Amino acid sequence: MHTVHLSQPLNLHHTLNSGQVFRWQNLNGTWEGIVRGEFIRLFENEGTHCTCDENFLTWYFRLDDDLDLIISAIDKDRHMHKAITALYGLRLIRQDPWECLISFICSSFNNVPRIRQIVETLCRTFGRPLPSHRGYEFPSPEALADAPLDVLRTCGLGYRDVYVQKTAQAVADGFALHDLRTMPYQEAKKALLQLPGVGQKVADCVLLFSLDNLEAFPCDTHIKACITQLYSPSVDAGTFGRQYFGPYAGYANHYLFHYHRSNRTW
DNA sequence: GTCCAGGTTAGCC
DNA sequence: GGCTAACATGGA
């Protein structure tokens, strides 16, 4: 465990607890997670302490984004101002696209604790155990592609078992997730929408949380409520969000989402 | 028992 | 293209 003094704001609690990633656990102040097959431990106390190197922190927590610049770009009204003030240090994460894709297929018509439970069960059932015995890797596309439906079902997936299996088969057969990183927003989204279990909202989550598309604006029930109540009752939330907030609409989206979901008042 | 949760899909018009 | 019912699961 060593100390890193970051030049960028980072609030671990807001960031890891905001529903963009599902495998981190807070054990009395210390965050534990498994990223790309590596067990990682983090906590904040006059600097960020971690069992990883600074390059990992920079990559994973997008410290290459100038958060203050981004915040000033999206600080356009009193609603947004409340959210960014209350959640200062909330950052988007640059997570693995494959894990992100499957996690958000599991997220549809579901709640966060259960998403976490399903993802963890998938890892325990189909993922490689870490050499340190501290948990399991996220399963490979091949592992989920070859998984029998009834075993997937026992992981708690419900009717989503087919979505996970077919999407895993598509990725195992060569669907190039990483290529989407360099595509324009509409084109990358169109490609993702081909995958079973991936609709407008899940596609935007994958683009935003794992493929560097900061203009993606995922529209779930919380965001739709925010847009209709606070901004305009009759617009398409996604179109409005991207146009109104601009190139960093995705950051605005996640601040609104987490503020609304954590049951704070506007 | 009823309701709800980061939606997607198939089947209609 | 837009609209709607159906969809497993577990916790409140």
Side-chain angles (χ1 to χ4, degrees):
Chain A
M1 203 66 123
H2 62 278
T3 310
V4 181
H5 291 285
L6 304 175
S7 53
Q8 280 284 316
L10 168 63
N11 182 306
L12 289 178
H13 186 76
H14 295 331
T15 300
L16 296 173
N17 208 22
S18 60
Q20 59 178 319
V21 65
F22 302 99
R23 293 203 70 194
W24 288 90
Q25 266 195 309
N26 191 338
L27 303 170
N28 45 49
T30 302
W31 288 95
E32 294 184 353
I34 295 165
V35 182
R36 290 193 160 178
E38 212 171 312
F39 179 87
I40 289 164
R41 200 173 264 158
L42 300 168
F43 71 91
E44 288 164 315
N45 180 15
E46 299 179 11
T48 299
H49 297 249
C50 60
T51 55
C52 53
D53 60 26
E54 193 167 348
N55 287 338
F56 168 80
L57 289 181
T58 302
W59 170 77
Y60 191 68
F61 291 105
R62 303 191 64 98
L63 302 179
D64 43 342
D65 285 344
D66 184 341
L67 189 63
D68 287 323
L69 183 80
I70 290 170
I71 282 177
S72 65
I74 60 176
D75 187 7
K76 304 189 73 158
D77 55 72
R78 64 195 172 88
H79 309 304
M80 198 57 223
H81 192 76
K82 263 194 164 180
I84 60 186
T85 304
L87 300 174
Y88 186 70
L90 168 61
R91 306 190 72 99
L92 293 176
I93 285 177
R94 188 181 276 123
Q95 57 179 294
D96 176 67
W98 160 245
E99 176 174 339
C100 189
L101 173 63
I102 295 301
S103 299
F104 278 95
I105 286 176
C106 298
S107 79
S108 72
F109 197 41
N110 215 338
N111 57 58
V112 173
R114 250 178 58 71
I115 300 165
R116 301 176 63 93
Q117 187 228 337
I118 292 169
V119 169
E120 218 43 54
T121 309
L122 283 175
C123 293
R124 259 204 331 274
T125 311
F126 298 107
R128 267 198 332 213
L130 299 188
S132 58
H133 301 290
R134 280 175 161 159
Y136 295 81
E137 260 184 82
F138 192 84
S140 67
E142 292 74 18
L144 293 186
D146 296 339
L149 269 187
D150 57 327
V151 185
L152 284 173
R153 191 52 84 97
T154 62
C155 295
L157 281 166
Y159 63 90
R160 308 172 195 80
D161 55 357
V162 189
Y163 300 157
V164 167
Q165 190 190 54
K166 292 199 162 165
T167 289
Q169 286 166 356
V171 174
D173 288 346
F175 184 98
L177 270 176
H178 288 278
D179 289 357
L180 307 182
R181 197 183 295 278
T182 51
M183 286 185 194
Y185 170 70
Q186 296 292 353
E187 195 183 331
K189 187 163 177 179
K190 192 176 166 190
L192 281 171
L193 288 173
Q194 305 299 310
L195 298 169
V198 178
Q200 297 286 327
K201 187 266 174 186
V202 170
D204 276 326
C205 285
V206 176
L207 289 172
L208 181 60
F209 300 138
S210 74
L211 290 168
D212 290 326
N213 247 296
L214 298 184
E215 59 189 302
F217 197 85
C219 294
D220 71 314
T221 51
H222 295 284
I223 289 296
K224 284 176 183 167
C226 288
I227 299 299
T228 55
Q229 286 164 29
L230 306 176
Y231 294 95
S232 175
S234 57
V235 291
D236 174 71
T239 310
F240 171 83
R242 285 193 302 282
Q243 192 171 41
Y244 178 65
F245 290 112
Y248 300 119
Y251 269 95
N253 178 289
H254 203 56
Y255 273 92
L256 284 178
F257 170 76
H258 189 39
Y259 188 78
H260 188 267
R261 194 176 81 86
S262 50
N263 213 2
R264 300 176 216 231
T265 54
W266 295 104

